Amino acid sequence: MTTSADSLVAFGQQHVARGLGRLTEAVMAKGEGSYVTFEDGRRMLDFSCGIGVTNLGHCHPKVSKAAADQCVNIVHAQCSISFHGPYLRLIEKLLPIMPDPSLDSFFFWNSGSEAIEASLKMARQITGRQNIITMQGGYHGRTFGAMAVTKSKTVYSEGSFPLMPGAFAIPFPYWHQLGLPINTSEEELVRLSLYQLDLVLKQQTAPRDTAAIIVEPVLGEGGYVPAPASFLKGLRAVCDKHGILLIVDEVQSGFGRTGKYFNVEYSGVRPDILTIAKGLANGFPLSGVVSRKELTDKLVPGSMGGTYAGNAVSCAAAVAVANAFREEKVLDNVSARSSELLTSLKSLRDDPEVGSMVVDIRGQGLMIAVEFASPLYSPTDPALVSSAPKNLASRVTKRCMEKGLLILTTSLYEVIRFIPPLNISQGDLQKGCQIFAESVKEVVREG
């Protein structure tokens, strides 16, 4: 096997399928807390968390120990053969933190996309209806059902049609999606989106044919846009009126990422089905679909399952994650660091040198986005600024990497997302913010 960093990269470029995109052509060798180390020796502050997965930092000692201990007991206890202890203990840990006490029935799978597939299947089987209404800008995965309800970028499904039939989209209450000025009131954005929902139910999919509405309470790949509470409440009212199920996708926004265990708590809206993954097991492959027993009792035994679903090692890791959240007061840290991050970003927006390029700062907790102006948007886009540098977001992330910070873009707009570890120290957060500010200023100067 090749050993040098360069030869490993060359080997990967030759033999790893081209369909996988990468932020950097490098080999990650080690992760510890808020930092990752590459085979070429570079040590970088990680504001990506594996796209919002390692919420407790890389290789959290309690999580790693729980997984290692489980490996010497049983690794694969197949869910269609019997219960296993970590699966049941995880449910015991999750029940008290569910966003609504009605959510009391759990099925664990491996990935977020699989959780979405299961939620769509459940919605159809429970209601006896077929159609699903989703959001423009929403992202739910790259398997066939999930692709059908994903509307954030065409790259995820291009060349794969026909997808799952019966998927209809409405605009998310985001000024870009509605082609309105950035200062459009929240009330107006919500009104227009709910109006479009009403039209879809009258023109495209009748309520009696509609199984579910699926929504991310914070758009992920759509640009880190929180849904107004009034919008989620409006969706809930429509679902209640017509017997439609509300699927809330908290794969990225869940487990403390926005300052509460689940973002939907901010609105008080009750999901009929909740999908979870990413931060659930801090890097071990695990996802979940949670509903209420009166609904899941309608499912036929054997209709759900999966070879590795609810793996014992992943479940043991997730139990340790739940314990660490409570014992280490993680949500308190999110609140403190979020305030500091927003203060730093707002000071950048107030900087006379670069502030005019900052279109928006938004988000909750440690799921924050900065959107830049662009000269490449369509002529009707309100964020079109002909004097703005091209490709600001991707150029800034590249400059951040050169300075030792891993950070990601998101959406088809010029957006950079901040998803640092939820237990990041004040010093490391300040370090990352300083690198980001320096990078923005340098790229703007270059034009």
Side-chain angles (χ1 to χ4, degrees):
M1 179 64 183
T2 53
T3 56
S4 73
D6 288 343
S7 60
L8 282 170
V9 169
F11 182 85
Q13 291 170 334
Q14 178 67 27
H15 296 288
V16 174
R18 187 170 177 265
L20 287 170
R22 283 175 295 278
L23 179 66
T24 178
E25 296 299 313
V27 180
M28 201 175 287
K30 181 180 175 63
E32 185 177 10
S34 299
Y35 289 85
V36 291
T37 303
F38 291 88
E39 288 284 354
D40 60 12
R42 289 178 297 159
R43 184 170 184 260
M44 302 184 72
L45 181 58
D46 186 7
F47 273 24
S48 75
C49 282
I51 315 185
V53 172
T54 53
N55 284 359
L56 297 179
H58 292 279
C59 298
H60 188 285
K62 293 176 183 176
V63 178
S64 295
K65 183 179 186 304
D69 290 347
Q70 183 61 38
C71 282
V72 299
N73 287 325
I74 189 166
V75 171
H76 180 61
Q78 214 284 326
C79 65
S80 296
I81 295 176
S82 72
F83 294 122
H84 63 73
Y87 196 115
L88 300 177
R89 285 191 289 274
L90 178 56
I91 294 174
E92 187 177 39
K93 294 291 183 182
L94 294 180
L95 277 168
I97 65 171
M98 285 294 102
D100 191 90
S102 66
L103 297 170
D104 61 356
S105 182
F106 295 74
F107 169 65
F108 296 119
W109 221 339
N110 307 293
S111 69
S113 187
E114 287 175 307
I116 296 300
E117 296 287 344
S119 73
L120 300 178
K121 181 178 181 179
M122 286 169 58
R124 285 177 161 183
Q125 291 185 347
I126 289 166
T127 64
R129 306 171 182 178
Q130 176 176 330
N131 295 340
I132 310 291
I133 296 174
T134 187
M135 305 295 140
Q136 290 176 9
Y139 176 85
H140 302 285
R142 281 173 263 208
T143 51
F144 260 70
M147 276 196 295
V149 293
T150 288
K151 306 295 181 183
S152 55
K153 292 180 183 177
T154 56
V155 67
Y156 301 126
S157 57
E158 185 177 1
S160 303
F161 286 80
L163 303 178
M164 179 191 79
F168 301 84
I170 65 168
F172 191 86
Y174 174 29
W175 52 274
H176 264 306
Q177 298 291 346
L178 292 161
L180 294 173
I182 188 172
N183 61 356
T184 303
S185 71
E186 179 181 294
E187 181 182 12
E188 180 66 2
L189 294 173
V190 170
R191 186 190 70 80
L192 291 170
S193 292
L194 292 177
Y195 172 67
Q196 290 298 318
L197 173 60
D198 183 61
L199 285 182
V200 165
L201 289 170
K202 290 175 178 176
Q203 296 177 329
Q204 299 181 51
T205 170
R208 63 176 292 182
D209 297 322
T210 306
I213 297 173
I214 185 168
V215 63
E216 297 168 282
V218 182
L219 286 185
E221 297 300 317
Y224 273 36
V225 187
S230 58
F231 179 65
L232 296 177
K233 290 176 180 177
L235 296 182
R236 179 73 269 171
V238 170
C239 288
D240 289 342
K241 179 180 179 180
H242 297 295
I244 298 168
L245 299 182
L246 181 61
I247 302 172
V248 175
D249 179 355
E250 294 253 20
V251 166
Q252 188 164 175
S253 59
F255 291 93
R257 175 51 61 187
T258 65
K260 293 185 181 291
Y261 275 107
F262 298 98
N263 184 269
V264 76
E265 294 176 56
Y266 284 107
S267 68
V269 165
R270 171 184 57 82
D272 294 302
I273 300 174
L274 178 73
T275 59
I276 55 179
K278 289 190 182 284
L280 172 61
N282 210 58
F284 288 87
L286 188 66
S287 64
V289 184
V290 193
S291 187
R292 55 186 190 273
K293 193 172 187 296
E294 67 182 81
L295 296 181
T296 59
D297 278 352
K298 297 179 180 181
L299 300 173
V300 177
S303 62
M304 311 299 288
T307 300
Y308 303 108
N311 174 265
V313 177
S314 294
C315 285
V319 170
V321 168
N323 289 336
F325 260 85
R326 184 183 66 257
E327 295 164 2
E328 299 173 16
K329 301 186 185 313
V330 171
L331 293 182
D332 291 345
N333 193 70
V334 174
S335 177
R337 300 292 84 79
S338 176
S339 177
E340 293 162 2
L341 174 56
L342 288 169
T343 297
S344 175
L345 295 177
K346 288 172 182 175
S347 69
L348 188 66
R349 184 176 59 189
D350 293 338
D351 189 306
E353 183 181 9
V354 298
S356 62
M357 296 297 105
V358 178
V359 172
D360 196 14
I361 297 168
R362 55 179 177 261
Q364 294 164 308
L366 289 175
M367 189 173 181
I368 303 295
V370 175
E371 180 170 345
F372 297 107
S374 173
L376 303 178
Y377 288 156
S378 70
T380 58
D381 195 295
L384 173 70
V385 177
S386 58
S387 61
K390 295 179 181 178
N391 306 313
L392 250 177
S394 59
R395 291 169 61 194
V396 169
T397 58
K398 182 178 180 181
R399 186 62 52 86
C400 285
M401 287 188 61
E402 293 169 358
K403 294 174 177 287
L405 175 68
L406 273 178
I407 195 166
L408 303 171
T409 62
T410 185
S411 83
L412 54 82
Y413 303 110
E414 294 293 325
V415 181
I416 291 179
R417 53 178 149 178
F418 289 75
I419 34 177
L422 304 185
N423 56 0
I424 191 170
S425 69
Q426 183 180 35
D428 282 339
L429 183 72
Q430 289 177 342
K431 177 182 176 182
C433 289
Q434 182 177 352
I435 291 173
F436 179 75
E438 291 174 356
S439 299
V440 171
K441 291 175 182 178
E442 289 176 9
V443 172
V444 169
R445 287 189 200 115
E446 291 167 5

